Amino acid sequence: MSRQQIVAGNWKLNGSKALINAFNEHFTHTDIPNVSIMLFVPALYAEAVDKSAFCVGVQNISEHSSGAHTGELSVAMLNDLGIKYTLVGHSERRQMYGDSNAVVAKKVSVALDADITPILCVGESLETRDAGQVNEFIQAQLDSVIELVGIAGLSRCVVAYEPIWAIGTGHTATPEQAQAVHAFIRQYIASKDAMSAQQISILYGGSVNAQTASDLFAQPDIDGGLVGGASLQQADFLTICQAANQRG
Ligand code: PEP
């Protein structure tokens, strides 16, 4: 994927068929030409999302291709259903389900091998920020992926910077805080390959809402957002998409 404005909604363990129908109706006739709007709904609902209005993705994949892994989803199944996007390494998966840097890297690798675009989530805790170690922490998360798939592989991902202290807390990072980390991520990628740094989309996530989106998306290295809570409200999500559209 080349660099572009993206707004991705992460519904987590929320939503219903009725809500998806409402989103389908609400977004089908909107004019947001400059933004790829992605919806990461619970996998059961992926088929119900209107693909003319949204790029549909899942919130997690297995690093395994098949076999005795109860409850998991494989990339082959995604391809079977025409689903081309997956989140990888969301902090909730890292913290609650044991997705270590090594597992995250493996998931990125199997997704890329299957031509599925991973939205690779990275981001630090408040302790790490307070200790002044943000860049080192993010760099280690990126390095584990680069070690497995190379910079060429990373450049086929979308990166989402999501500080853990901002996710679901209502404490959005300031545009300046977010821009500083986005600039670091782009510079770090540039230190490996300048073209990859120009081409990759880097999204901000963490309590983005209808009020904060415009100022965040106006930052030079922020290419849109990964949105949790506000992506469950049609009107708010539309306002966020329109904010990205103005940038695009
Ligand atoms: C997320 O889950 O990726 C997220 C950013 O959530 P929220 O927008 O609710 O903070």
Side-chain angles (χ1 to χ4, degrees):
M1 280 177 81
S2 55
R3 188 171 174 185
Q4 57 187 274
Q5 290 294 311
I6 297 170
V7 174
N10 173 17
W11 282 18
K12 313 188 188 194
L13 189 55
N14 299 298
S16 63
K17 190 134 187 258
L19 190 63
I20 287 178
N21 289 341
F23 267 70
N24 286 343
E25 222 164 279
H26 202 80
F27 279 79
T28 302
H29 303 296
T30 52
D31 188 27
I32 309 180
N34 304 323
V35 183
S36 287
I37 307 175
M38 301 183 179
L39 272 193
F40 292 86
V41 295
L44 272 181
Y45 293 129
E47 283 281 272
V49 175
D50 181 350
K51 296 199 181 65
S52 70
F54 302 103
C55 304
V56 64
V58 297
Q59 300 168 14
N60 180 42
I61 53 166
S62 174
E63 67 272 37
H64 305 289
S65 57
S66 65
H69 302 285
T70 301
E72 294 289 270
L73 296 175
S74 76
V75 289
M77 292 165 189
L78 265 56
N79 268 332
D80 206 15
L81 296 174
I83 295 170
K84 302 308 287 175
Y85 303 92
T86 183
L87 301 183
V88 176
H90 191 281
S91 62
E92 288 155 16
R93 302 277 338 161
R94 291 179 188 264
Q95 290 184 320
M96 292 187 261
Y97 300 99
D99 284 11
S100 62
N101 276 348
V103 169
V104 168
K106 190 84 203 324
K107 289 183 178 188
V108 167
S109 175
V110 298
L112 292 176
D113 284 348
D115 260 331
I116 288 164
T117 301
I119 315 308
L120 170 64
C121 303
V122 297
E124 81 288 355
S125 66
L126 197 54
E127 293 71 38
T128 301
R129 175 161 284 265
D130 287 346
Q133 312 244 293
V134 176
N135 291 358
E136 293 83 344
F137 187 83
I138 305 281
Q139 183 175 323
Q141 289 184 319
L142 294 174
D143 278 345
S144 59
V145 172
I146 294 169
E147 273 159 29
L148 195 62
V149 302
I151 194 68
L154 181 69
S155 73
R156 292 170 57 209
C157 301
V158 171
V159 172
Y161 168 57
E162 297 209 303
I164 297 168
W165 48 270
I167 296 178
T169 59
H171 298 301
T172 320
T174 64
E176 295 71 26
Q177 280 175 321
Q179 166 59 24
V181 181
H182 281 238
F184 167 74
I185 292 171
R186 206 177 296 282
Q187 280 157 17
Y188 185 62
I189 295 171
S191 74
K192 310 266 177 195
D193 179 54
M195 186 66 91
S196 296
Q198 282 170 29
Q199 288 190 344
I200 198 160
S201 303
I202 308 176
L203 313 184
Y204 168 77
S207 296
V208 175
N209 59 40
Q211 287 73 46
T212 56
S214 286
D215 287 349
L216 286 161
F217 299 168
Q219 298 298 314
D221 287 298
I222 298 183
D223 304 315
L226 177 55
V227 185
S231 73
L232 291 160
Q233 312 291 333
Q234 297 147 53
D236 288 358
F237 193 55
L238 183 59
T239 302
I240 293 166
C241 292
Q242 285 164 337
N245 195 54
Q246 284 177 359
R247 213 2 249 290

